[in-house]
């Protein structure tokens, strides 16, 4: 099983600042990585797939990069609606696995 | 628009069974696999497995074999998750999610299953 490790667990950021979230895979997943956003009481929402492709309707301030074992989700200028928990997920191998999440909170 | 609508919250006693439904609309149901994901209270996302919506063949992740059952009714574009012999540790929100080419989009709104005596 591929273990996905996200860091940091919590990120405190001021509105308007940049946020950089990391996701590391225990073995290469190529570019088979997705990012999701989850707000309290809501279902996860797809942000990024194939490591760097924004899903339909996702604002350009969200960007993904990386391949192999190291990945990054960047939110260029945090808006109030971006404070949430973010998960990465690999789909290179079975079973599909998620990271434990990074909570982005208001500083 | 593409949408997955799940059944409502359930409160069950230990040992009982529950069946969660996930109704799809806005796309051809049998063109995409359906996955199930569990989220225990205050915890992260845990992939439970998937069901092939063409063949009805389910695949369960390790730890979800035994008392979890995936099924379909393609005539009403609905997937089901049945949990038998419920235990307190099955208390969680259960999500269905359409799989595209490995990633999940969209997700159902989630169904809270609470197991308590």
């Amino acid at each position: 099983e591929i273990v996905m490790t996200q860091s940091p667990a919590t990120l405190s950021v001021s509105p308007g600042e940049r946020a950089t979230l990391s996701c590391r895979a225990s073995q290469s997943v190529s570019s088979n990585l997705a990012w999701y956003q989850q707000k309290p009481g809501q279902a996860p929402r797809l942000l990024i797939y194939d490591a760097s492709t924004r899903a339909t309707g996702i604002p350009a301030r969200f960007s993904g990069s990386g391949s192999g074992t190291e990945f990054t989700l960047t939110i260029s200028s945090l808006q109030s609606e971006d404070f949430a928990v973010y998960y990465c997920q690999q789909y290179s191998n079975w079973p599909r696995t998620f990271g434990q999440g990074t909570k982005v909170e208001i500083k | 628009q593409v949408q997955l609508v799940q059944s409502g919250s359930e409160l069950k006693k230990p040992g009982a069974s529950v069946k969660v439904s996930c109704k799809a609309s806005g796309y051809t149901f049998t063109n995409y696999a359906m996955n199930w994901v569990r989220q225990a209270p205050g915890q992260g996302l845990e992939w439970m497995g998937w069901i092939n919506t063409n063949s009805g063949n389910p695949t369960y992740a390790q730890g979800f074999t035994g008392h979890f059952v995936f099924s379909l009714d393609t005539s009403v574009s609905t997937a089901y998750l049945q949990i038998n012999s419920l235990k307190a540790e099955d208390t969680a929100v259960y999500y269905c999610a359409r799989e595209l080419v490995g990633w999940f989009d969209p997700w159902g709104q989630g169904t809270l299953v609470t197991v308590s005596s």
Side-chain angles (χ1 to χ4, degrees):
Chain A
E1 171 174 319
I2 297 178
V3 177
M4 308 300 293
T5 303
Q6 292 186 241
S7 61
T10 304
L11 186 61
S12 298
V13 186
S14 298
E17 289 188 339
R18 173 188 295 259
T20 303
L21 289 66
S22 295
C23 175
R24 174 176 291 178
S26 61
Q27 64 189 76
S28 177
V29 299
S30 186
S31 295
N32 298 313
L33 186 105
W35 289 94
Y36 301 89
Q37 176 194 66
Q38 187 179 33
K39 297 179 182 179
Q42 295 186 19
R45 177 176 72 143
L46 176 70
L47 297 176
I48 301 283
Y49 62 92
D50 288 346
S52 61
T53 303
R54 273 191 304 277
T56 302
I58 301 303
R61 64 180 181 273
F62 291 92
S63 63
S65 63
S67 66
T69 61
E70 301 282 345
F71 300 88
T72 300
L73 174 70
T74 301
I75 311 171
S76 60
S77 175
L78 270 158
Q79 308 297 302
S80 57
E81 61 266 31
D82 301 335
F83 292 96
V85 179
Y86 293 83
Y87 294 95
C88 61
Q89 176 235 332
Q90 68 80 21
Y91 46 93
S92 176
N93 276 26
W94 303 94
R96 306 311 196 202
T97 47
F98 292 90
Q100 80 280 18
T102 290
K103 181 180 181 180
V104 177
E105 64 175 25
I106 300 174
K107 187 174 182 180
Chain B
Q1 76 281 21
V2 176
Q3 197 173 8
L4 301 176
V5 178
Q6 297 184 225
S7 48
S9 298
E10 301 269 10
L11 174 60
K12 296 290 185 180
K13 293 190 184 307
S17 295
V18 68
K19 194 169 187 177
V20 175
S21 66
C22 169
K23 183 170 176 59
S25 61
Y27 71 98
T28 302
F29 182 68
T30 51
N31 282 359
Y32 300 90
M34 191 67 76
N35 285 247
W36 290 93
V37 176
R38 181 172 76 178
Q39 188 167 39
Q43 302 301 307
L45 304 171
E46 190 175 15
W47 183 72
M48 300 173 64
W50 67 287
I51 185 164
N52 184 315
T53 52
N54 266 303
S55 66
N57 184 49
T59 298
Y60 301 97
Q62 209 165 19
F64 292 98
T65 55
H67 72 301
F68 296 89
V69 180
F70 305 151
S71 62
L72 303 170
D73 185 344
T74 55
S75 68
V76 289
S77 300
T78 300
Y80 300 95
L81 164 65
Q82 181 162 327
I83 313 173
N84 300 316
S85 303
L86 282 160
K87 303 174 252 190
E89 52 263 41
D90 294 321
T91 294
V93 176
Y94 292 86
Y95 293 101
C96 60
R98 184 183 72 160
E99 179 175 344
L100 277 75
V101 190
W103 59 90
F104 305 139
D105 183 49
W107 296 56
Q109 83 275 21
T111 297
L112 173 62
V113 175
T114 303
V115 184
S116 173
S117 56

